[in-house]
mmCIF file of all heavy atoms in Angstrom:
data_model
loop_
_atom_site.group_PDB
_atom_site.id
_atom_site.type_symbol
_atom_site.label_atom_id
_atom_site.label_comp_id
_atom_site.label_asym_id
_atom_site.label_seq_id
_atom_site.Cartn_x
_atom_site.Cartn_y
_atom_site.Cartn_z
ATOM 1 N N GLY A 70 -87.552 16.685 -91.967
ATOM 2 C CA GLY A 70 -88.564 16.052 -92.808
ATOM 3 C C GLY A 70 -89.085 14.726 -92.211
ATOM 4 O O GLY A 70 -89.419 13.836 -92.945
ATOM 5 N N GLY A 71 -89.057 14.605 -90.918
ATOM 6 C CA GLY A 71 -89.575 13.417 -90.251
ATOM 7 C C GLY A 71 -88.538 12.205 -90.207
ATOM 8 O O GLY A 71 -88.909 11.132 -89.839
ATOM 9 N N ARG A 72 -87.371 12.457 -90.634
ATOM 10 C CA ARG A 72 -86.365 11.409 -90.627
ATOM 11 C C ARG A 72 -86.097 10.912 -89.253
ATOM 12 O O ARG A 72 -86.201 11.643 -88.293
ATOM 13 C CB ARG A 72 -85.046 11.853 -91.304
ATOM 14 C CG ARG A 72 -85.119 12.108 -92.795
ATOM 15 C CD ARG A 72 -83.744 12.512 -93.314
ATOM 16 N NE ARG A 72 -83.817 12.636 -94.715
ATOM 17 C CZ ARG A 72 -84.162 13.660 -95.408
ATOM 18 N NH1 ARG A 72 -84.634 14.775 -94.784
ATOM 19 N NH2 ARG A 72 -84.192 13.665 -96.763
ATOM 20 N N LEU A 73 -85.562 9.622 -89.225
ATOM 21 C CA LEU A 73 -85.207 9.046 -87.905
ATOM 22 C C LEU A 73 -83.816 9.663 -87.470
ATOM 23 O O LEU A 73 -82.943 9.801 -88.268
ATOM 24 C CB LEU A 73 -84.981 7.498 -88.096
ATOM 25 C CG LEU A 73 -84.551 6.768 -86.867
ATOM 26 C CD1 LEU A 73 -85.718 6.633 -85.890
ATOM 27 C CD2 LEU A 73 -84.177 5.349 -87.248
ATOM 28 N N LEU A 74 -83.796 10.027 -86.191
ATOM 29 C CA LEU A 74 -82.572 10.571 -85.618
ATOM 30 C C LEU A 74 -82.200 9.777 -84.356
ATOM 31 O O LEU A 74 -83.037 9.601 -83.501
ATOM 32 C CB LEU A 74 -82.840 12.061 -85.214
ATOM 33 C CG LEU A 74 -81.673 12.944 -84.727
ATOM 34 C CD1 LEU A 74 -81.993 14.423 -84.986
ATOM 35 C CD2 LEU A 74 -81.372 12.741 -83.347
ATOM 36 N N THR A 75 -81.005 9.251 -84.354
ATOM 37 C CA THR A 75 -80.548 8.468 -83.243
ATOM 38 C C THR A 75 -79.276 9.127 -82.615
ATOM 39 O O THR A 75 -78.634 9.999 -83.305
ATOM 40 C CB THR A 75 -80.113 7.008 -83.637
ATOM 41 O OG1 THR A 75 -78.957 7.132 -84.526
ATOM 42 C CG2 THR A 75 -81.210 6.324 -84.341
ATOM 43 N N PRO A 76 -78.853 8.700 -81.428
ATOM 44 C CA PRO A 76 -77.482 9.132 -81.016
ATOM 45 C C PRO A 76 -76.499 8.627 -82.047
ATOM 46 O O PRO A 76 -76.733 7.626 -82.676
ATOM 47 C CB PRO A 76 -77.331 8.436 -79.679
ATOM 48 C CG PRO A 76 -78.695 8.027 -79.238
ATOM 49 C CD PRO A 76 -79.473 7.807 -80.473
ATOM 50 N N GLY A 77 -75.364 9.298 -82.141
ATOM 51 C CA GLY A 77 -74.300 8.788 -82.983
ATOM 52 C C GLY A 77 -73.962 7.368 -82.553
ATOM 53 O O GLY A 77 -73.978 7.091 -81.323
ATOM 54 N N LEU A 78 -73.594 6.463 -83.436
ATOM 55 C CA LEU A 78 -73.306 5.097 -83.032
ATOM 56 C C LEU A 78 -71.959 4.939 -82.375
ATOM 57 O O LEU A 78 -71.054 5.770 -82.632
ATOM 58 C CB LEU A 78 -73.418 4.222 -84.283
ATOM 59 C CG LEU A 78 -74.662 4.238 -85.182
ATOM 60 C CD1 LEU A 78 -74.643 3.199 -86.191
ATOM 61 C CD2 LEU A 78 -75.962 4.230 -84.302
ATOM 62 N N ILE A 79 -71.856 3.977 -81.548
ATOM 63 C CA ILE A 79 -70.641 3.707 -80.777
ATOM 64 C C ILE A 79 -70.091 2.334 -81.071
ATOM 65 O O ILE A 79 -70.874 1.348 -80.892
ATOM 66 C CB ILE A 79 -70.997 3.779 -79.220
ATOM 67 C CG1 ILE A 79 -71.579 5.154 -78.894
ATOM 68 C CG2 ILE A 79 -69.705 3.487 -78.394
ATOM 69 C CD1 ILE A 79 -72.223 5.211 -77.549
ATOM 70 N N ASP A 80 -68.921 2.216 -81.499
ATOM 71 C CA ASP A 80 -68.249 0.920 -81.684
ATOM 72 C C ASP A 80 -67.322 0.627 -80.526
ATOM 73 O O ASP A 80 -66.256 1.209 -80.479
ATOM 74 C CB ASP A 80 -67.435 0.880 -83.016
ATOM 75 C CG ASP A 80 -67.048 -0.521 -83.388
ATOM 76 O OD1 ASP A 80 -67.315 -1.460 -82.621
ATOM 77 O OD2 ASP A 80 -66.613 -0.664 -84.535
ATOM 78 N N CYS A 81 -67.840 -0.133 -79.513
ATOM 79 C CA CYS A 81 -67.224 -0.192 -78.222
ATOM 80 C C CYS A 81 -66.098 -1.220 -78.022
ATOM 81 O O CYS A 81 -65.601 -1.450 -76.929
ATOM 82 C CB CYS A 81 -68.303 -0.354 -77.119
ATOM 83 S SG CYS A 81 -69.051 -1.990 -77.135
ATOM 84 N N HIS A 82 -65.719 -1.879 -79.136
ATOM 85 C CA HIS A 82 -64.638 -2.912 -79.024
ATOM 86 C C HIS A 82 -63.975 -3.044 -80.395
ATOM 87 O O HIS A 82 -64.438 -3.643 -81.300
ATOM 88 C CB HIS A 82 -65.210 -4.269 -78.612
ATOM 89 C CG HIS A 82 -64.249 -5.411 -78.542
ATOM 90 N ND1 HIS A 82 -64.372 -6.410 -77.566
ATOM 91 C CD2 HIS A 82 -63.180 -5.774 -79.281
ATOM 92 C CE1 HIS A 82 -63.410 -7.269 -77.711
ATOM 93 N NE2 HIS A 82 -62.686 -6.923 -78.763
ATOM 94 N N THR A 83 -62.829 -2.327 -80.549
ATOM 95 C CA THR A 83 -62.023 -2.462 -81.808
ATOM 96 C C THR A 83 -60.542 -2.581 -81.423
ATOM 97 O O THR A 83 -60.121 -2.197 -80.367
ATOM 98 C CB THR A 83 -62.199 -1.277 -82.708
ATOM 99 O OG1 THR A 83 -61.273 -0.226 -82.407
ATOM 100 C CG2 THR A 83 -63.579 -0.715 -82.796
ATOM 101 N N HIS A 84 -59.818 -3.150 -82.384
ATOM 102 C CA HIS A 84 -58.382 -3.181 -82.287
ATOM 103 C C HIS A 84 -57.874 -2.444 -83.520
ATOM 104 O O HIS A 84 -57.124 -2.940 -84.358
ATOM 105 C CB HIS A 84 -57.898 -4.690 -82.380
ATOM 106 C CG HIS A 84 -58.542 -5.580 -81.436
ATOM 107 N ND1 HIS A 84 -57.784 -6.083 -80.347
ATOM 108 C CD2 HIS A 84 -59.751 -6.154 -81.301
ATOM 109 C CE1 HIS A 84 -58.576 -6.930 -79.681
ATOM 110 N NE2 HIS A 84 -59.800 -6.978 -80.225
ATOM 111 N N LEU A 85 -58.314 -1.194 -83.702
ATOM 112 C CA LEU A 85 -58.182 -0.432 -84.952
ATOM 113 C C LEU A 85 -56.800 -0.085 -85.342
ATOM 114 O O LEU A 85 -56.522 0.136 -86.558
ATOM 115 C CB LEU A 85 -59.013 0.796 -84.906
ATOM 116 C CG LEU A 85 -59.609 1.235 -86.240
ATOM 117 C CD1 LEU A 85 -60.677 0.275 -86.718
ATOM 118 C CD2 LEU A 85 -60.237 2.648 -86.101
ATOM 119 N N VAL A 86 -55.830 0.007 -84.439
ATOM 120 C CA VAL A 86 -54.421 0.328 -84.750
ATOM 121 C C VAL A 86 -53.616 -0.966 -84.938
ATOM 122 O O VAL A 86 -53.336 -1.588 -83.911
ATOM 123 C CB VAL A 86 -53.889 1.266 -83.613
ATOM 124 C CG1 VAL A 86 -52.396 1.493 -83.893
ATOM 125 C CG2 VAL A 86 -54.662 2.571 -83.503
ATOM 126 N N TRP A 87 -53.302 -1.254 -86.167
ATOM 127 C CA TRP A 87 -52.436 -2.396 -86.411
ATOM 128 C C TRP A 87 -51.651 -2.199 -87.680
ATOM 129 O O TRP A 87 -52.044 -1.430 -88.497
ATOM 130 C CB TRP A 87 -53.233 -3.698 -86.467
ATOM 131 C CG TRP A 87 -54.007 -3.960 -87.740
ATOM 132 C CD1 TRP A 87 -53.492 -4.428 -88.923
ATOM 133 C CD2 TRP A 87 -55.438 -3.794 -88.006
ATOM 134 N NE1 TRP A 87 -54.469 -4.559 -89.873
ATOM 135 C CE2 TRP A 87 -55.653 -4.182 -89.333
ATOM 136 C CE3 TRP A 87 -56.455 -3.349 -87.231
ATOM 137 C CZ2 TRP A 87 -56.974 -4.123 -89.868
ATOM 138 C CZ3 TRP A 87 -57.695 -3.296 -87.760
ATOM 139 C CH2 TRP A 87 -57.950 -3.624 -88.984
ATOM 140 N N GLY A 88 -50.460 -2.925 -87.780
ATOM 141 C CA GLY A 88 -49.741 -2.974 -88.972
ATOM 142 C C GLY A 88 -49.905 -4.243 -89.702
ATOM 143 O O GLY A 88 -50.317 -5.263 -89.117
ATOM 144 N N GLY A 89 -49.672 -4.277 -91.021
ATOM 145 C CA GLY A 89 -49.676 -5.545 -91.784
ATOM 146 C C GLY A 89 -51.025 -6.056 -92.116
ATOM 147 O O GLY A 89 -52.035 -5.345 -91.964
ATOM 148 N N THR A 90 -51.103 -7.294 -92.542
ATOM 149 C CA THR A 90 -52.380 -7.885 -92.982
ATOM 150 C C THR A 90 -52.274 -9.396 -92.614
ATOM 151 O O THR A 90 -51.181 -9.939 -92.496
ATOM 152 C CB THR A 90 -52.616 -7.715 -94.480
ATOM 153 O OG1 THR A 90 -53.736 -8.566 -94.852
ATOM 154 C CG2 THR A 90 -51.376 -8.158 -95.341
ATOM 155 N N ARG A 91 -53.501 -10.009 -92.530
ATOM 156 C CA ARG A 91 -53.492 -11.451 -92.259
ATOM 157 C C ARG A 91 -54.361 -12.142 -93.313
ATOM 158 O O ARG A 91 -54.940 -13.168 -93.050
ATOM 159 C CB ARG A 91 -54.018 -11.694 -90.879
ATOM 160 C CG ARG A 91 -53.311 -10.974 -89.709
ATOM 161 C CD ARG A 91 -52.592 -11.903 -88.811
ATOM 162 N NE ARG A 91 -53.452 -12.648 -87.939
ATOM 163 C CZ ARG A 91 -54.046 -12.177 -86.828
ATOM 164 N NH1 ARG A 91 -53.829 -10.910 -86.427
ATOM 165 N NH2 ARG A 91 -54.810 -12.934 -86.147
ATOM 166 N N ALA A 92 -54.308 -11.599 -94.521
ATOM 167 C CA ALA A 92 -55.071 -12.160 -95.698
ATOM 168 C C ALA A 92 -54.595 -13.614 -95.873
ATOM 169 O O ALA A 92 -55.418 -14.518 -96.180
ATOM 170 C CB ALA A 92 -54.985 -11.331 -96.886
ATOM 171 N N ASP A 93 -53.295 -13.867 -95.674
ATOM 172 C CA ASP A 93 -52.791 -15.184 -95.898
ATOM 173 C C ASP A 93 -53.366 -16.196 -94.969
ATOM 174 O O ASP A 93 -53.715 -17.326 -95.259
ATOM 175 C CB ASP A 93 -51.200 -15.185 -95.770
ATOM 176 C CG ASP A 93 -50.784 -14.587 -94.504
ATOM 177 O OD1 ASP A 93 -51.524 -13.778 -93.862
ATOM 178 O OD2 ASP A 93 -49.621 -14.882 -94.092
ATOM 179 N N GLU A 94 -53.612 -15.717 -93.665
ATOM 180 C CA GLU A 94 -54.142 -16.673 -92.699
ATOM 181 C C GLU A 94 -55.668 -16.907 -92.994
ATOM 182 O O GLU A 94 -56.077 -17.999 -92.721
ATOM 183 C CB GLU A 94 -54.118 -16.057 -91.334
ATOM 184 C CG GLU A 94 -52.654 -16.118 -90.766
ATOM 185 C CD GLU A 94 -52.537 -15.566 -89.397
ATOM 186 O OE1 GLU A 94 -53.598 -15.372 -88.691
ATOM 187 O OE2 GLU A 94 -51.414 -15.278 -88.943
ATOM 188 N N PHE A 95 -56.292 -15.938 -93.551
ATOM 189 C CA PHE A 95 -57.726 -16.114 -94.022
ATOM 190 C C PHE A 95 -57.753 -17.282 -94.980
ATOM 191 O O PHE A 95 -58.603 -18.213 -94.920
ATOM 192 C CB PHE A 95 -58.226 -14.831 -94.616
ATOM 193 C CG PHE A 95 -59.584 -14.907 -95.218
ATOM 194 C CD1 PHE A 95 -60.724 -14.925 -94.453
ATOM 195 C CD2 PHE A 95 -59.745 -14.895 -96.637
ATOM 196 C CE1 PHE A 95 -61.970 -15.021 -95.048
ATOM 197 C CE2 PHE A 95 -60.995 -14.980 -97.174
ATOM 198 C CZ PHE A 95 -62.124 -15.021 -96.381
ATOM 199 N N GLU A 96 -56.764 -17.324 -95.883
ATOM 200 C CA GLU A 96 -56.736 -18.292 -96.931
ATOM 201 C C GLU A 96 -56.412 -19.686 -96.275
ATOM 202 O O GLU A 96 -56.953 -20.731 -96.661
ATOM 203 C CB GLU A 96 -55.702 -17.962 -97.949
ATOM 204 C CG GLU A 96 -56.169 -18.099 -99.368
ATOM 205 C CD GLU A 96 -55.194 -17.617 -100.418
ATOM 206 O OE1 GLU A 96 -54.378 -16.795 -100.119
ATOM 207 O OE2 GLU A 96 -55.290 -18.099 -101.555
ATOM 208 N N MET A 97 -55.472 -19.631 -95.257
ATOM 209 C CA MET A 97 -55.172 -20.911 -94.632
ATOM 210 C C MET A 97 -56.340 -21.473 -93.913
ATOM 211 O O MET A 97 -56.591 -22.677 -93.880
ATOM 212 C CB MET A 97 -53.986 -20.659 -93.588
ATOM 213 C CG MET A 97 -52.595 -20.484 -94.246
ATOM 214 S SD MET A 97 -51.496 -19.551 -93.187
ATOM 215 C CE MET A 97 -51.099 -20.698 -91.938
ATOM 216 N N ARG A 98 -57.170 -20.628 -93.291
ATOM 217 C CA ARG A 98 -58.323 -21.097 -92.578
ATOM 218 C C ARG A 98 -59.338 -21.648 -93.592
ATOM 219 O O ARG A 98 -59.989 -22.637 -93.278
ATOM 220 C CB ARG A 98 -58.943 -19.947 -91.702
ATOM 221 C CG ARG A 98 -58.122 -19.651 -90.402
ATOM 222 C CD ARG A 98 -58.979 -19.033 -89.352
ATOM 223 N NE ARG A 98 -59.720 -17.866 -89.756
ATOM 224 C CZ ARG A 98 -59.262 -16.577 -89.851
ATOM 225 N NH1 ARG A 98 -57.995 -16.353 -89.447
ATOM 226 N NH2 ARG A 98 -59.978 -15.617 -90.262
ATOM 227 N N LEU A 99 -59.455 -21.010 -94.720
ATOM 228 C CA LEU A 99 -60.333 -21.598 -95.712
ATOM 229 C C LEU A 99 -59.933 -22.979 -96.102
ATOM 230 O O LEU A 99 -60.718 -23.790 -96.481
ATOM 231 C CB LEU A 99 -60.340 -20.668 -96.990
ATOM 232 C CG LEU A 99 -61.053 -19.317 -96.846
ATOM 233 C CD1 LEU A 99 -60.984 -18.527 -98.169
ATOM 234 C CD2 LEU A 99 -62.544 -19.480 -96.429
ATOM 235 N N ALA A 100 -58.637 -23.195 -96.103
ATOM 236 C CA ALA A 100 -58.041 -24.503 -96.462
ATOM 237 C C ALA A 100 -58.124 -25.507 -95.341
ATOM 238 O O ALA A 100 -57.633 -26.604 -95.485
ATOM 239 C CB ALA A 100 -56.684 -24.352 -96.982
ATOM 240 N N GLY A 101 -58.656 -25.031 -94.172
ATOM 241 C CA GLY A 101 -58.914 -26.015 -93.107
ATOM 242 C C GLY A 101 -58.038 -25.853 -91.811
ATOM 243 O O GLY A 101 -58.310 -26.499 -90.843
ATOM 244 N N ARG A 102 -57.053 -24.957 -91.811
ATOM 245 C CA ARG A 102 -56.362 -24.703 -90.537
ATOM 246 C C ARG A 102 -57.146 -23.980 -89.576
ATOM 247 O O ARG A 102 -57.931 -23.096 -89.988
ATOM 248 C CB ARG A 102 -55.036 -23.922 -90.800
ATOM 249 C CG ARG A 102 -54.036 -24.533 -91.770
ATOM 250 C CD ARG A 102 -52.961 -25.364 -91.004
ATOM 251 N NE ARG A 102 -52.269 -24.884 -89.878
ATOM 252 C CZ ARG A 102 -51.092 -24.222 -89.882
ATOM 253 N NH1 ARG A 102 -50.543 -24.000 -91.023
ATOM 254 N NH2 ARG A 102 -50.539 -23.873 -88.718
ATOM 255 N N SER A 103 -57.031 -24.240 -88.256
ATOM 256 C CA SER A 103 -57.956 -23.504 -87.345
ATOM 257 C C SER A 103 -57.185 -22.266 -86.773
ATOM 258 O O SER A 103 -55.977 -22.229 -86.884
ATOM 259 C CB SER A 103 -58.244 -24.474 -86.150
ATOM 260 O OG SER A 103 -57.160 -24.569 -85.300
ATOM 261 N N TYR A 104 -57.887 -21.363 -86.221
ATOM 262 C CA TYR A 104 -57.346 -20.128 -85.627
ATOM 263 C C TYR A 104 -56.330 -20.499 -84.525
ATOM 264 O O TYR A 104 -55.255 -19.925 -84.451
ATOM 265 C CB TYR A 104 -58.537 -19.336 -85.048
ATOM 266 C CG TYR A 104 -58.225 -18.015 -84.459
ATOM 267 C CD1 TYR A 104 -57.800 -16.902 -85.253
ATOM 268 C CD2 TYR A 104 -58.386 -17.765 -83.098
ATOM 269 C CE1 TYR A 104 -57.605 -15.662 -84.702
ATOM 270 C CE2 TYR A 104 -58.153 -16.531 -82.536
ATOM 271 C CZ TYR A 104 -57.713 -15.463 -83.316
ATOM 272 O OH TYR A 104 -57.496 -14.222 -82.764
ATOM 273 N N THR A 105 -56.719 -21.474 -83.706
ATOM 274 C CA THR A 105 -55.865 -21.869 -82.594
ATOM 275 C C THR A 105 -54.568 -22.472 -83.103
ATOM 276 O O THR A 105 -53.452 -22.157 -82.674
ATOM 277 C CB THR A 105 -56.629 -22.881 -81.703
ATOM 278 O OG1 THR A 105 -57.837 -22.290 -81.224
ATOM 279 C CG2 THR A 105 -55.794 -23.350 -80.513
ATOM 280 N N ASP A 106 -54.656 -23.322 -84.098
ATOM 281 C CA ASP A 106 -53.541 -23.967 -84.785
ATOM 282 C C ASP A 106 -52.558 -22.922 -85.307
ATOM 283 O O ASP A 106 -51.349 -23.026 -85.025
ATOM 284 C CB ASP A 106 -54.134 -24.630 -86.043
ATOM 285 C CG ASP A 106 -53.753 -26.048 -86.145
ATOM 286 O OD1 ASP A 106 -53.616 -26.641 -85.073
ATOM 287 O OD2 ASP A 106 -53.673 -26.531 -87.285
#
Side-chain angles (χ1 to χ4, degrees):
R72 288 183 175 84
L73 181 70
L74 186 157
T75 67
L78 307 189
I79 302 165
D80 195 352
C81 68
H82 178 144
T83 87
H84 306 250
L85 211 69
V86 173
W87 77 80
T90 169
R91 305 246 290 280
D93 54 337
E94 287 182 13
F95 174 73
E96 228 174 335
M97 283 156 76
R98 287 205 306 276
L99 287 179
R102 298 270 311 267
S103 76
Y104 182 69
T105 303
D106 235 28

